[in-house]
Amino acid sequence: MFVTDSSLNQTNKPEKKRFVILISGLGSNMQQIAQLANDFSSRVSIQAVVSNKASAAGLDWAAERGIETAVVDHRLFSDREKFDQALARVVVKFEPDYVLLAGFMRILTPGFVNQFKGRLINIHPSLLPAFPGLHTHARAIEAGVQRHGCSVHFVTDELDHGPVIAQAALEVSTTETPEQLAQRVLVLEHQLYPEVVQWLSRDQVTLDDNGKVTLHGVSYRHIGTSE
Ligand code: GAR
């Protein structure tokens, strides 16, 4: 008797999910995610890395590894809508199942967000809903919070908001600088984002019409310091 696994294609390799990653800089999170694709059993396929900055270091890193790259320079467009429309045209060419924002430092228009609704994911360096926006680590220290961390979430119209998929947290030391805290949180980001991408690639994350996230076959949503 032959048992068939519908998740396997004719070559007995797992069906892969297609990801496009948007970056603006170093792309260290993108690099961690891209490494997932190297695993034979992985269901993660990176279709392209796209940046709004030609100087983004992550573009070179990706190109050196044979990942397709593209640049849509926001300075060449008269307004956000036109830039986002051009960006969307590039992204859809790669037919992504998911679009991952990984240090993509542009505010996206509702038009772009709606086009990729339920498929647009971001990582933000705070325990959302606390500290959306910039300078999260300095603001966390300034506010005297005991725990800080990062969140991976579905993107909505509101900046750094949207249904949280998972978070990673650590204890804030009373003596550390924002730069030291940022470095420690970045280590957590490099664990959390690839983990969530694995879940997405295996259809383990669903988002309902009320914005509720459900994880299937995953028993935890937090990494690091417990409640
Ligand atoms: C990361 O810390 C990410 O969480 C943050 O930018 C950094 C990018 O680093 N994103 C945001 O602040 C989004 N609001 P990377 O380019 O090395 O991945």
Side-chain angles (χ1 to χ4, degrees), residues 25-30 102-105 122-125 133 160 186 189:
L26 179 62
S28 68
N29 278 289
M30 174 274 293
F104 186 68
M105 305 308 270
N122 182 42
I123 186 158
H124 181 71
D160 296 326
L186 194 60
E189 293 185 40

Side-chain angles (χ1 to χ4, degrees), residues 134-146:
L134 298 174
H135 312 301
T136 56
H137 311 295
R139 288 160 59 209
I141 289 174
E142 180 69 24
V145 296
Q146 290 177 17

Side-chain angles (χ1 to χ4, degrees), residues 1-218:
M1 186 177 106
F2 293 100
V3 178
T4 57
D5 180 344
S6 60
S7 66
L8 299 180
N9 63 21
Q10 284 170 347
T11 57
N12 267 2
K13 288 187 186 151
E15 289 288 356
K16 295 195 187 269
K17 283 278 189 297
R18 301 165 67 90
F19 292 87
V20 168
I21 309 179
L22 306 190
I23 64 168
S24 295
L26 179 62
S28 68
N29 278 289
M30 174 274 293
Q31 294 177 23
Q32 297 296 320
I33 294 164
Q35 315 274 20
L36 291 175
N38 296 332
D39 182 348
F40 176 77
S41 62
S42 170
R43 297 180 183 194
V44 176
S45 173
I46 309 302
Q47 295 303 306
V49 173
V50 181
S51 180
N52 62 311
K53 288 187 173 178
S55 60
L59 287 175
D60 292 337
W61 185 95
E64 281 161 17
R65 282 152 186 85
I67 299 172
E68 197 148 345
T69 61
V71 176
V72 185
D73 186 340
H74 62 276
R75 295 170 307 179
L76 303 179
F77 297 87
S78 53
D79 58 41
R80 277 188 199 282
E81 270 79 18
K82 291 200 176 69
F83 167 69
D84 278 9
Q85 285 161 8
L87 180 65
R89 279 195 296 277
V90 169
V91 169
V92 294
K93 275 201 279 185
F94 296 104
E95 301 179 353
D97 294 301
Y98 290 99
V99 179
L100 306 176
L101 308 180
F104 186 68
M105 305 308 270
R106 298 284 307 169
I107 296 173
L108 293 164
T109 55
F112 187 96
V113 171
N114 286 330
Q115 184 169 350
F116 297 100
K117 195 173 175 204
R119 300 189 292 137
L120 187 57
I121 315 288
N122 182 42
I123 186 158
H124 181 71
S126 79
L127 296 173
L128 292 174
F131 309 119
L134 298 174
H135 312 301
T136 56
H137 311 295
R139 288 160 59 209
I141 289 174
E142 180 69 24
V145 296
Q146 290 177 17
R147 294 168 71 241
H148 185 51
C150 52
S151 308
V152 175
H153 65 100
F154 285 100
V155 175
T156 60
D157 287 354
E158 209 180 336
L159 177 69
D160 296 326
H161 275 81
V164 168
I165 301 171
Q167 294 183 311
L170 47 70
E171 300 279 350
V172 180
S173 143
T174 51
T175 56
E176 69 188 327
T177 64
E179 292 73 26
Q180 288 167 333
L181 182 56
Q183 273 308 315
R184 292 205 299 133
V185 170
L186 194 60
V187 172
L188 286 184
E189 293 185 40
H190 293 167
Q191 295 170 29
L192 186 71
Y193 214 174
E195 189 75 18
V196 171
V197 170
Q198 295 269 32
W199 298 342
L200 292 169
S201 76
R202 298 180 191 135
D203 291 322
Q204 288 176 285
V205 184
T206 53
L207 175 68
D208 73 15
D209 290 343
N210 299 320
K212 183 175 166 15
V213 174
T214 305
L215 301 183
H216 307 270
V218 178

